[in-house]
Amino acid sequence: MGEHPYILLSCCISLDGYLDSAGGERLLLSNDADFDRVDAVRAGCDAILVGAGTVRRDDPRLLVRSEERRRRRVAEGRPEGPTKVTLSSGGDLSPEARFFTAGDGEKLVYCPDATVPGLESRVGSQAKVVGLGAEVRMADLVADLGSRGVRRLMVEGGGTVHTQFLSAGLADELQLVVAPFFVGDSRAPRFVGDGGFPWHAGRRASLVETRAIGDVALLRYALSERFPG
């Protein structure tokens, strides 16, 4: 079994804590300077994980955009971009999603054992489908990634996935960017849902960095003793 990956959660929220609007069109919360910062963080990771809902809703490519960063990774003996990872309970993933079609790197899909045959028939030619028992637990998923050589995992959402990692106490770092406006619609997806979190009024998370990036604010929290420095 490999070493437990360092787990970094990254997302951008509105002032009232939403990840997106309630409508069908994706809401851009951040700015170009922060997108470039996130690209640099991606380039330093071995794998990027998003939930199936994010794959369906946002259709992300999850690639390193900067040509220079891609070249640097290759020069270091690594693939151009991190391994792409998602998880799905029911297997409702389209093989035409950019998660599968963009980039030549490795793609992993975690699911319950019962979902494996259906997912393999749908996306098995484009990704490795991995069964994790009766249900997908984040601890098991992280352990499997560690066995595959993943040392640094970036989790980019959505809210259900963030909630699962945080409530399980698996996150080592949170990079939270706050946009300077409100969504004001309770139908929109939130950063996290209900849960029993290790950080609460009696155990506050450690704020290690605040930075203005144009009109957004980066808040960086150390969530474990593994946080560097």
Side-chain angles (χ1 to χ4, degrees):
M1 186 65 67
E3 180 185 349
H4 188 296
Y6 183 89
I7 300 174
L8 182 158
L9 272 59
S10 172
C11 74
C12 185
I13 61 173
S14 64
L15 284 172
D16 47 350
Y18 291 101
L19 293 169
D20 206 342
S21 68
E25 187 173 345
R26 184 185 175 194
L27 176 66
L28 293 180
L29 290 150
S30 196
N31 58 38
D32 288 344
D34 186 59
F35 287 140
D36 186 65
R37 179 196 65 82
V38 170
D39 193 61
V41 176
R42 280 183 179 178
C45 293
D46 301 308
I48 305 172
L49 183 148
V50 296
T54 298
V55 173
R56 290 189 293 267
R57 182 184 182 97
D58 296 343
D59 196 21
R61 296 185 306 154
L62 302 180
L63 303 177
V64 174
R65 299 180 180 185
S66 164
E67 183 178 350
E68 178 183 348
R69 291 176 185 132
R70 294 197 301 269
R71 285 201 306 263
R72 189 180 307 138
R73 283 179 60 94
V74 172
E76 294 169 351
R78 299 189 291 166
E80 281 195 347
T83 296
K84 296 196 280 189
V85 183
T86 191
L87 59 150
S88 174
S89 295
D92 184 17
L93 289 168
S94 169
E96 297 178 359
R98 293 193 294 182
F99 177 94
F100 300 107
T101 61
D104 298 326
E106 184 179 21
K107 291 108 178 172
L108 298 172
V109 182
Y110 290 94
C111 64
D113 288 347
T115 310
V116 169
L119 263 177
E120 284 188 333
S121 66
R122 185 176 296 181
V123 301
S125 63
Q126 298 162 288
K128 172 68 175 177
V129 178
V130 183
L132 287 179
E135 62 178 334
V136 176
R137 297 191 310 155
M138 295 304 105
D140 295 335
L141 185 155
V142 166
D144 188 81
L145 286 175
S147 73
R148 297 174 188 273
V150 173
R151 296 292 172 263
R152 189 173 179 87
L153 171 66
M154 184 176 185
V155 179
E156 295 196 22
T160 300
V161 170
H162 285 314
T163 301
Q164 290 174 307
F165 272 95
L166 288 166
S167 62
L170 292 170
D172 298 297
E173 178 178 345
L174 170 62
Q175 295 185 6
L176 188 67
V177 171
V178 182
F181 59 85
F182 297 87
V183 170
D185 189 339
S186 62
R187 298 171 300 169
R190 298 192 68 92
F191 163 44
V192 292
D194 295 344
F197 299 101
W199 307 275
H200 44 72
R203 184 185 180 223
R204 298 160 79 99
S206 299
L207 178 64
V208 294
E209 181 185 359
T210 61
R211 189 189 344 154
I213 304 173
D215 64 349
V216 303
L218 168 66
L219 307 176
R220 192 172 175 216
Y221 293 90
L223 301 182
S224 83
E225 295 180 353
R226 303 175 75 197
F227 183 88

